[in-house]
Amino acid sequence: MMGAGKSTVGRRLARRLGLPFVDSDVAIEEASGSKTAELFERFGEHDFRDGERRLVARLVEGDVRVIATGGGAFNDPRTRQLLNDRAITVWLDAPVDVLAERTARRNNRPLLHKGNPAEILSRLMEERQSYYSEAKIHVRSTGTGAHGNVVDAIVDALFKYLAS
């Protein structure tokens, strides 16, 4: 979900693992020359997600890296299948109140512009939970600890996953 800490935790995880980090939203913005919110508004969510899927397909074909996707990327069944087939997927799960507080810091979330952000986040979480649950690893974050604690939890879960 947006605000779960994917980019911040992803950067720290990549550093810990000695891997490159890519934020798919940033990569989309660099490739298009436009902000994600502008692309969303200009082309709509469906076309944005289609472009996002093509970008993710290129990213998983390259070298091993930590990739932070947009919160809605995993909704698309083709993107979800692609990621689960070619990557170790992690659902970084945070409570809605934490997501609402974090996303309120910036006005760059197009899905939150059409109503009460906390209510929208609650609805999105309910809609997306079944998709997110298909991730290979599920890490819960309370939003109160240091990002390093979340990275530790992911690293522990990765080792368990790889050992199984």
Side-chain angles (χ1 to χ4, degrees), residues 133-147:
S133 69
E134 293 182 33
K136 295 175 182 175
I137 294 173
H138 180 186
V139 173
R140 286 188 170 85
S141 166
T142 63
T144 58
H147 287 113

Side-chain angles (χ1 to χ4, degrees), residues 24 28 40 44-57 69-85 89 111 124 127-135:
S24 67
I28 288 169
F40 224 87
E45 184 173 7
H46 180 268
D47 287 347
F48 177 83
R49 297 293 176 210
D50 189 51
E52 181 178 52
R53 179 182 37 77
R54 290 192 310 269
L55 173 82
V56 168
T69 64
F74 220 63
N75 295 3
D76 181 286
R78 295 174 296 172
T79 303
R80 188 169 57 251
Q81 183 72 44
L82 174 71
L83 285 166
N84 275 330
D85 285 350
T89 52
L111 290 176
L124 288 173
E127 291 171 1
R128 295 175 176 184
Q129 197 161 5
S130 65
Y131 304 136
Y132 291 162
S133 69
E134 293 182 33

Side-chain angles (χ1 to χ4, degrees), residues 10-11 16 20 63-64 68 75 92 107 120 123 125 135 164:
R11 271 188 216 87
R16 171 88 62 88
D63 295 332
V64 174
N75 295 3
L92 186 54
N107 191 25
I120 294 169
R123 180 181 48 78
M125 178 62 87
S164 60

Side-chain angles (χ1 to χ4, degrees), residues 145-164:
H147 287 113
N149 295 340
V150 178
V151 171
D152 290 342
I154 294 170
V155 170
D156 290 346
L158 279 170
F159 281 121
K160 289 176 186 170
Y161 176 82
L162 292 171
S164 60

